[in-house]
């Protein structure tokens, strides 16, 4: 059976079925009028996308995006957000890797994978974060979770059937219960996934007279259990206490097949490599938050604790077949990585009657990881053991003053962060890494109004980008007898200085920005001429810089709402080990379009693209991706969404560069063309009486 049915035929069939179901519903005239009036109010007041000074906010809960089965795929739908092909990292176009926050707490990719989409209220892409946020990153993706305002019991059951190259299935359960001031939440998802991936690299080392090319493909069988629970207690109108736990348990089996042609001087080998891999990734994260408002001095205090644990293991059995002879076992690799992370933060916010706001706070975080590698070499009957421990402590404090002087809005702040890092192999007497550094990160923003519809803002920020803890371990992936993918325990942070200016007209904006980065992180090759093994890993380059012009253009016309982003970028990456190719302007464009159609249909058409990129060292191919989805709610409790991603099957990424005298051409095939059907059923009871969470008397602080 061919799962890639023509999109037009699927849409026609689904629309016809929905029409029959919709017409089968029986409503009294009173109900019909009431529902129609409610729909008009929602359409007018609820915009899916809003734009303020280039910061885009997305209303997930009340849009078709709530039907996407996982949070990482949800982020991939948003303007300027790019997800790596392995879904292990996120970048914002022109901004690099962002900070990710869930409510008031900083999180990582594992937290995103453990977060149920049904719990998400909104997502905001903040282009110029204040000093309140950690200095790590030039932008922030802020995820706000949903909390009820009415006494209710509600449960949602969802099923998503996704057809990529292989079949994937997502089954979800999400339930909330609210009574007076107490709200309880629980979710459970079982995902049966079968991802496929393929890539090839063709490289030459002229100085060593080596030319090699490999093609690798992998098909994974993945069982994923995602579950969570939370408690939210609203003490009064301003104070609350919350506790939540989220977890993702994942097991993978993925055989990897690699075909290699390797020429070393006059010796040519054709090798077929088979690796049998068994992997487990278990992650758990917990938050404890408390917020208190001290009314006599109009000061709000937030305190939060976070604990995370990530435990990963990879068992690999490697066999090679040289020149069409027979498969022989080459080695067995047993790799384990574990990290414990703890953080505690406090934020204090004091408001003054002249519209001034003073904020200060602090953060302490500590991470401990263990990376254990055991390799058995069959040919020599030898074992290689390596154990590496890593510790990092960060202590930071910030202060910020914001408000308005005459008509000018301003925000001035700075952050001080101290990092203490120790990395040591257990067999060594002395640490391999022992680093202690303190850095100062100032930030400033001024907004000058021209009139009631136009304004100009100017921003300056210094920030840092640190590698994630997994990147600082000693793990490696065996590709063939001549090639390894490895992590780098010596990776250091990147420091960025950026200045920008934004012109805002109504909800449209244009932004100019320039940045300079010291020690940015990019891919690199290193060749060992003793073992003839090439290692591909991230390293710190010398520097990079870039200039961009960013247009954000949303508008609404009757039943059509669209948000458009157009960015022109000139980027330059430099390193003494790399050959400088060219630096030319390229552009990114995206358009998110939503159509509210009759009979409660919603249709979404999204597309984005990148022109060919020349960034000094790297040359990458142009890309153009089109997604579409249609959704309908019927019988009040049922919602069905049909989606098609990457309609035109533009799923090839290429990259060229020359580093350390290695000429490389890489080709990645991304498995992102899919057709999916999502069905969600909601049931429960919502009381008409609303708990008065909002403070309606804005002047009550004057009566003291």
């Amino acid at each position: 059976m061919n799962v890639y049915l023509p999109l037009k035929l699927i849409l026609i069939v689904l629309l016809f079925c929905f029409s029959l179901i919709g017409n089968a519903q029986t409503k009294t005239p009173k109900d019909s009028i009431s529902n129609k009036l409610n729909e008009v109010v929602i359409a007018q007041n609820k915009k899916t996308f809003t734009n303020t000074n280039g910061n885009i906010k997305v209303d997930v809960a009340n849009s078709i995006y709530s039907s996407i089965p996982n949070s990482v795929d949800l982020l991939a739908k948003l303007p300027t957000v790019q997800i790596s092909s392995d879904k292990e990292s996120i970048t914002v176009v022109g901004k690099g890797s962002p900070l990710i926050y869930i409510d008031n707490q900083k999180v990582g990719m594992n937290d995103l994978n453990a977060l149920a989409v049904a719990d998400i209220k909104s997502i905001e892409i903040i282009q110029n974060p204040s000093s309140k946020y950690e200095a790590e990153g030039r932008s922030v993706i802020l995820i706000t979770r949903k909390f009820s305002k009415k006494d209710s019991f509600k449960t949602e059951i969802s099923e998503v059937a996704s057809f990529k190259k292989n079949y994937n299935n997502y089954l979800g359960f999400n339930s909330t219960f609210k009574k007076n001031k107490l709200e309880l939440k629980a979710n459970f998802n079982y995902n049966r996934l079968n991802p496929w991936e393929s890539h090839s690299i063709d490289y030459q080392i002229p100085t060593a007279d080596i030319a090699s090319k490999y093609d690798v493909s992998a098909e994974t069988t993945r069982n994923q259990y995602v579950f969570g629970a939370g408690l939210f207690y609203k003490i009064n109108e301003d104070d609350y206490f919350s506790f939540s736990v989220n977890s993702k348990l994942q097991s993978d089996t993925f055989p990897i097949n690699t075909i290699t042609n390797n020429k070393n001087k006059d010796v040519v080998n054709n090798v077929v490599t088979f690796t049998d891999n068994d992997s487990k990734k278990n992650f758990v994260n917990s938050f404890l938050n408390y917020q208190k408002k001290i009314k006599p001095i109009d000061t709000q205090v937030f305190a939060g604790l976070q604990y995370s644990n990530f435990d990963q293991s990879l068992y690999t059995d490697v066999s090679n077949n040289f020149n069409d002879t027979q498969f022989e076992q080459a080695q067995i690799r047993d790799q384990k990585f574990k990290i414990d992370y703890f953080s505690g933060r406090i934020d204090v916010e004091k408001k003054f009657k002249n519209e001034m706001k003073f904020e200060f706070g602090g953060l302490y975080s500590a991470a401990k990881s263990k990376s254990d590698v055991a390799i058995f070499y069959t040919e020599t009957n030898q074992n290689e053991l390596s154990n590496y421990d890593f510790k990092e402590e960060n202590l930071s404090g910030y202060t910020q003053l914001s408000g308005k002087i005459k008509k000018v809005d301003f925000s001035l702040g700075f952050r001080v962060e101290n990092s203490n890092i120790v990395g040591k192999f257990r067999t060594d007497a002395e640490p391999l890494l022992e680093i202690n550094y303190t850095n100062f990160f100032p930030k400033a923003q001024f907004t000058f109004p021209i009139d009631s519809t136009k304004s100009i803002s100017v921003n300056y920020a210094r920030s840092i980008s640190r590698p994630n803890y997994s990147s600082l371990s000693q793990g490696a992936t065996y590709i063939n007898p001549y090639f390894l993918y490895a992590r780098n325990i010596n990776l250091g942070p990147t420091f960025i200085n950026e200045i920008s200016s934004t012109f805002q007209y109504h909800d449209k904006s244009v932004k100019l920005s320039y940045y300079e980065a010291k020690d940015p992180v990019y891919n690199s090759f290193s060749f060992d001429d003793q073992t003839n093994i090439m290692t591909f890993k991230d390293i710190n380059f010398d520097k990079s810089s870039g200039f961009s012009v960013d247009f954000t253009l949303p508008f609404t016309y009757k039943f059509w709402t669209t948000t458009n982003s157009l960015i022109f970028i000139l980027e330059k990456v430099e390193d003494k080990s790399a050959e400088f190719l060219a630096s030319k302007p390229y552009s990114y464009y995206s358009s998110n379009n939503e159509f509210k159609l009759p009979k409660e249909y919603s249709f979404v058409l999204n597309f984005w693209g990148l022109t060919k990129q020349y960034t000094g060292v790297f040359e990458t191919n142009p890309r153009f991706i089109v997604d579409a989805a249609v959704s309908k709610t019927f019988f009040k409790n049922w919602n069905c969404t049909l989606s098609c991603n990457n309609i035109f099957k533009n799923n090839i990424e290429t990259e060229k560069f020359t580093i350390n005298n290695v000429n490389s051409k890489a080709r990645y095939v991304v498995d992102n063309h899919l057709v999916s059907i999502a069905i969600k059923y909601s049931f429960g009871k919502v009381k008409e009486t609303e708990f008065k969470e909002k403070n309606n008397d804005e002047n009550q602080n004057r009566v003291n």
Side-chain angles (χ1 to χ4, degrees):
M1 177 181 178
N2 183 10
V3 297
Y4 300 107
L5 298 174
L7 179 63
K8 184 181 293 185
L9 178 60
I10 296 177
L11 291 176
I12 292 173
V13 173
L14 189 65
L15 289 172
F16 177 73
C17 295
F18 279 169
S19 298
L20 292 178
I21 295 171
N23 293 333
Q25 300 181 58
T26 59
K27 300 179 182 178
T28 65
K30 181 178 179 181
D31 290 334
S32 299
I33 293 172
S34 175
N35 287 339
K36 289 179 181 177
L37 290 176
N38 286 336
E39 288 171 5
V40 171
V41 172
I42 292 173
Q44 289 179 345
N45 294 333
K46 288 289 185 180
K47 289 184 178 180
T48 302
F49 291 87
T50 56
N51 170 48
T52 305
N53 287 327
N55 298 330
I56 297 176
K57 188 173 184 179
V58 187
D59 178 14
V60 176
N62 299 295
S63 71
I64 196 172
Y65 296 101
S66 63
S67 64
I68 297 174
N70 64 78
S71 55
V72 175
D73 288 341
L74 169 61
L75 287 177
K77 299 287 188 182
L78 306 186
T80 72
V81 177
Q82 298 280 288
I83 308 296
S84 64
S85 57
D86 58 4
K87 295 189 176 183
E88 294 294 334
S89 63
I90 296 176
T91 57
V92 174
V93 175
K95 285 286 190 176
S97 299
L99 275 174
I100 304 170
Y101 268 74
I102 297 177
D103 294 329
N104 291 311
Q105 298 278 26
K106 188 183 78 168
V107 299
M109 288 297 296
N110 288 310
D111 303 89
L112 278 181
N113 284 307
L115 177 64
V117 174
D119 279 343
I120 299 176
K121 177 183 178 182
S122 64
I123 300 175
E124 185 175 6
I125 305 169
I126 302 174
Q127 298 285 354
N128 299 295
S130 67
S131 297
K132 182 177 182 178
Y133 298 99
E134 276 85 337
E136 185 178 347
R138 296 158 56 200
S139 61
V140 168
I141 294 178
L142 176 61
I143 299 173
T144 303
R145 292 180 296 171
K146 292 188 295 187
F147 293 101
S148 301
K149 293 184 179 181
K150 299 180 181 181
D151 287 352
S152 62
F153 168 74
K154 186 177 181 180
T155 297
E156 293 180 348
I157 301 174
S158 61
E159 163 66 19
V160 179
S162 172
F163 303 90
K164 291 187 176 183
K165 191 175 182 69
N166 298 316
Y167 175 73
N168 298 273
N169 192 82
Y170 303 83
L171 178 64
F173 169 89
N174 188 279
S175 185
T176 62
F177 171 80
K178 185 176 186 304
K179 181 67 174 178
N180 297 326
K181 298 180 179 182
L182 178 66
E183 181 173 355
L184 303 175
K185 303 169 73 71
N187 68 276
F188 175 79
N189 297 74
Y190 171 65
N191 305 324
R192 174 72 174 187
L193 311 178
N194 298 282
W196 172 90
E197 59 182 313
S198 173
H199 75 269
S200 62
I201 291 183
D202 185 356
Y203 65 91
Q204 298 83 36
I205 313 175
T207 56
D209 194 14
I210 290 176
S212 187
K213 179 181 179 179
Y214 74 79
D215 289 276
V216 60
S217 62
E219 292 203 26
T220 302
T221 299
R222 176 174 297 162
N223 289 304
Q224 201 173 78
Y225 301 89
V226 180
F227 52 89
L231 177 151
F232 181 83
Y233 184 74
K234 192 78 174 179
I235 301 171
N236 54 44
E237 295 165 345
D238 301 299
D239 307 341
Y240 73 84
F241 168 85
S242 68
F243 175 74
S244 62
V245 177
N246 297 285
S247 182
K248 184 189 74 170
L249 308 180
Q250 176 177 304
S251 61
D252 294 337
T253 55
F254 53 103
I256 299 178
N257 297 283
T258 308
I259 300 174
T260 306
N261 178 269
N262 184 271
K263 175 183 174 297
N264 188 338
K265 297 182 176 62
D266 296 328
V267 179
V268 178
N269 282 310
N270 295 301
V271 187
V272 178
T273 302
F274 177 79
T275 60
D276 194 8
N277 300 278
D278 190 359
S279 171
K280 294 186 184 299
K281 294 182 179 180
N282 297 329
F283 173 76
V284 62
N285 188 29
S286 58
F287 294 113
L288 180 64
N289 295 333
Y290 175 69
Q291 181 170 291
K292 172 70 177 176
K293 186 170 185 179
I294 306 173
K295 292 184 178 180
I297 57 174
D298 195 14
T299 300
Q300 185 170 283
V301 180
F302 171 84
L305 300 175
Q306 178 184 2
Y307 171 76
S308 303
N309 174 269
F310 179 62
D311 196 346
Q312 178 181 6
S313 64
L314 174 61
Y315 182 86
T316 303
D317 190 343
V318 181
S319 297
N320 291 312
N321 183 335
F322 284 83
N323 303 314
D324 294 322
T325 53
Q326 64 181 5
F327 279 98
E328 295 183 358
Q329 188 183 65
Q331 58 181 250
I332 297 175
R333 307 173 70 91
D334 188 7
Q335 304 179 80
K336 297 178 181 179
F337 175 73
K338 182 178 181 180
I339 182 167
D340 291 288
Y341 174 84
F342 169 82
S343 71
R345 67 180 302 137
I346 184 167
D347 299 299
V348 180
E349 179 183 303
K350 164 66 179 173
K351 292 182 179 179
F352 300 92
K353 293 182 179 180
N354 57 356
E355 297 188 29
M356 294 288 184
K357 182 170 68 174
F358 179 64
E359 299 171 88
F360 65 92
L363 170 73
Y364 170 78
S365 65
K368 294 182 180 180
S369 69
K370 296 181 182 296
S371 177
D372 302 324
V373 176
I375 305 175
F376 174 72
Y377 297 95
T378 305
E379 184 178 356
T380 60
N381 198 31
Q382 291 182 338
N383 286 299
E384 179 183 315
L385 302 176
S386 180
N387 307 102
Y388 180 72
D389 296 337
F390 178 87
K391 296 180 181 180
E392 179 177 301
E393 289 184 311
N394 290 295
L395 182 63
S396 64
Y398 75 91
T399 182
Q400 180 168 283
L401 180 66
S402 59
K404 179 180 290 188
I405 298 178
K406 294 183 178 180
K407 293 184 178 181
V408 178
D409 290 303
F410 74 93
S411 175
L412 296 171
F414 66 87
R415 191 176 190 93
V416 177
E417 295 190 356
N418 173 263
S419 298
N420 186 19
I421 300 170
V422 177
K424 181 180 179 297
F425 286 100
R426 291 176 209 164
T427 54
D428 293 347
E430 299 295 328
L432 176 69
L433 295 174
E434 196 165 12
I435 304 171
N436 190 306
Y437 59 86
T438 301
N439 288 284
F440 180 75
F441 301 98
K443 293 191 176 183
Q445 177 173 317
F446 298 92
T447 301
F448 305 92
I450 300 173
D451 56 31
S452 60
T453 61
K454 296 184 287 291
S455 65
I456 294 177
S457 64
V458 179
N459 304 273
Y460 167 76
R462 185 172 189 261
S463 59
I464 186 173
S465 177
R466 296 183 177 93
N468 62 51
Y469 295 114
S470 295
S471 300
L472 297 172
S473 68
Q474 58 172 339
T477 302
Y478 185 101
I479 300 297
N480 60 41
Y482 317 103
F483 201 96
L484 288 174
Y485 277 89
R487 296 167 178 171
N488 186 357
I489 59 178
N490 294 305
L491 271 182
T494 302
F495 295 91
I496 308 107
N497 287 285
E498 181 176 18
I499 186 169
S500 63
S501 180
T502 304
F503 172 73
Q504 178 94 12
Y505 176 64
H506 289 293
D507 59 351
K508 300 168 179 59
S509 64
V510 57
K511 178 181 180 180
L512 306 176
S513 63
Y514 174 78
Y515 82 90
E516 291 184 347
K518 180 184 178 183
D519 300 323
V521 175
Y522 293 98
N523 299 327
S524 179
F525 287 114
S526 63
F527 178 70
D528 188 337
D529 56 5
Q530 301 298 316
T531 61
N532 288 327
I533 293 178
M534 177 75 76
T535 301
F536 187 79
K537 62 182 179 181
D538 289 341
I539 67 166
N540 290 103
F541 277 38
D542 292 336
K543 60 181 178 178
S544 66
S545 59
F547 176 77
S548 64
V549 184
D550 184 342
F551 297 88
T552 303
L553 306 169
F555 69 87
T556 300
Y557 178 74
K558 294 184 178 179
F559 59 87
W560 176 30
T561 301
T562 179
T563 299
N564 304 283
S565 295
L566 177 61
I567 308 176
F568 297 96
I569 306 169
L570 178 62
E571 194 173 7
K572 186 179 180 181
V573 179
E574 300 176 82
D575 189 77
K576 57 182 177 294
S577 68
E579 178 182 325
F580 189 84
L581 302 175
S583 181
K584 300 179 181 179
Y586 66 93
S587 61
Y588 165 87
Y589 47 95
S590 72
S591 183
N592 295 71
N593 303 270
E594 184 173 5
F595 302 87
K596 292 293 186 180
L597 303 178
K599 296 186 179 180
E600 300 184 22
Y601 285 104
S602 292
F603 178 71
V604 169
L605 179 67
N606 299 332
F607 59 87
W608 66 269
L610 278 164
T611 60
K612 195 167 187 176
Q613 301 164 64
Y614 297 89
T615 58
V617 174
F618 303 96
E619 176 187 331
T620 57
N621 66 313
R623 303 204 59 207
F624 180 67
I625 304 295
V626 179
D627 303 335
V630 61
S631 177
K632 178 177 172 59
T633 299
F634 51 94
F635 294 135
K636 295 184 180 180
N637 296 331
W638 290 87
N639 177 271
C640 189
T641 303
L642 174 66
S643 304
C644 184
N645 288 357
N646 193 11
I647 294 174
F648 300 114
K649 300 184 181 181
N650 189 348
N651 55 0
I652 296 177
E653 300 176 5
T654 63
E655 185 178 60
K656 299 179 183 178
F657 58 91
T658 299
I659 295 177
N660 289 325
N661 298 316
V662 179
N663 307 319
S664 170
K665 296 179 181 179
R667 180 178 182 270
Y668 304 90
V669 182
V670 184
D671 188 20
N672 60 2
H673 171 74
L674 71 84
V675 175
S676 68
I677 300 176
I679 299 175
K680 182 167 63 177
Y681 175 66
S682 305
F683 62 91
K685 184 178 181 181
V686 179
K687 289 186 178 181
E688 294 298 325
T689 303
E690 181 174 340
F691 172 63
K692 295 181 180 179
E693 182 178 346
K694 182 179 179 181
N695 178 11
N696 295 315
D697 183 3
E698 297 180 352
N699 294 311
Q700 74 167 11
N701 290 327
R702 299 174 64 185
V703 185
N704 288 323

